[in-house]
């Protein structure tokens, strides 16, 4: 049986063409470069990871409480990872977590005044990095088109069930003989 070639598998999926591959790699590289610079700025100015910044920013924007599930869906992060990050933020006094009175299974999360203050300190640097790396090379027309394209792509991806809705993988139990 002949080798189906690179980019194809058992289902005989056609490879990406050169334009698709170039676009994919440009997007991934741009996102990685931006995220790396943002992460460096957040760590230097606020001792925050990018995920921690996202959590604080989402909580601040919500102007109230969000559930851990809402946060996990919003930042696209694993449940376990989010729980760990939330515990670090809570220990630092930047958020509070507590049970929901409406749903025994839900944990409600709120940003504290200290969390808002830290967000306020790191936001100017975050804006500068974002402008310098992402926005400055774009014209207003480019920005409009990129926004339309990325909104369409994001909405397409978000049409899938949220990761928090996926069933948890069960660890295999002890085997008996």
């Amino acid at each position: 049986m002949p080798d189906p070639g690179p980019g194809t598998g058992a289902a005989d999926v056609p490879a990406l063409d050169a334009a698709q591959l170039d676009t994919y790699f440009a997007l991934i590289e741009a996102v990685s470069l931006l995220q790396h610079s943002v992460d460096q700025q957040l760590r230097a100015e606020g001792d925050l990871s990018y995920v921690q910044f996202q959590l604080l920013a989402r909580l601040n924007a919500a102007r109230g409480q969000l559930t851990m599930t809402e946060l996990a869906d919003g930042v696209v992060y694993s449940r376990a990872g989010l729980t760990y990050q939330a515990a670090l933020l809570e220990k630092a006094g930047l958020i509070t977590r507590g049970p929901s009175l409406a749903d025994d299974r839900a944990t409600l999360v709120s940003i504290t005044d200290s969390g808002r203050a830290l967000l306020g300190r790191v936001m100017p640097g975050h804006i500068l990095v974002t402008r310098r790396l992402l926005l400055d090379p774009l014209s207003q027309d480019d920005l409009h088109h990129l926004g339309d394209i990325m909104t369409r792509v994001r909405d397409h991806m978000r049409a899938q069930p949220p990761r928090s809705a996926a069933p948890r993988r069960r660890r295999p139990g002890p085997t008996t003989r």
Side-chain angles (χ1 to χ4, degrees), residues 93-106:
L94 303 173
I95 66 168
T96 59
R97 294 185 292 172
S100 168
L101 298 177
D103 182 352
D104 291 343
R105 299 167 296 167

Side-chain angles (χ1 to χ4, degrees), residues 74 97 113 117 137 158:
R97 294 185 292 172
D113 289 342
R158 287 265 183 210

Side-chain angles (χ1 to χ4, degrees), residues 9-32:
D12 220 11
V13 176
L16 298 176
D17 66 34
Q20 291 169 328
L21 197 58
D22 288 348
T23 300
Y24 169 76
F25 283 134
L27 174 65
I28 296 303
E29 186 176 357
V31 168
S32 294

Side-chain angles (χ1 to χ4, degrees), residues 32-33 66-67 70 128-129 133 149 175:
S32 294
L33 289 166
L66 294 175
T67 66
E70 290 168 328
L128 288 173
V129 169
L133 293 178
I149 291 165
T175 58

Side-chain angles (χ1 to χ4, degrees), residues 31-52:
V31 168
S32 294
L33 289 166
L34 178 61
Q35 196 161 3
H36 175 74
S37 292
V38 165
D39 194 54
Q40 285 184 315
Q41 175 266 325
L42 292 170
R43 288 194 186 281
E45 294 180 19
D47 197 26
L48 287 173
S49 70
Y50 182 69
V51 171
Q52 291 169 339

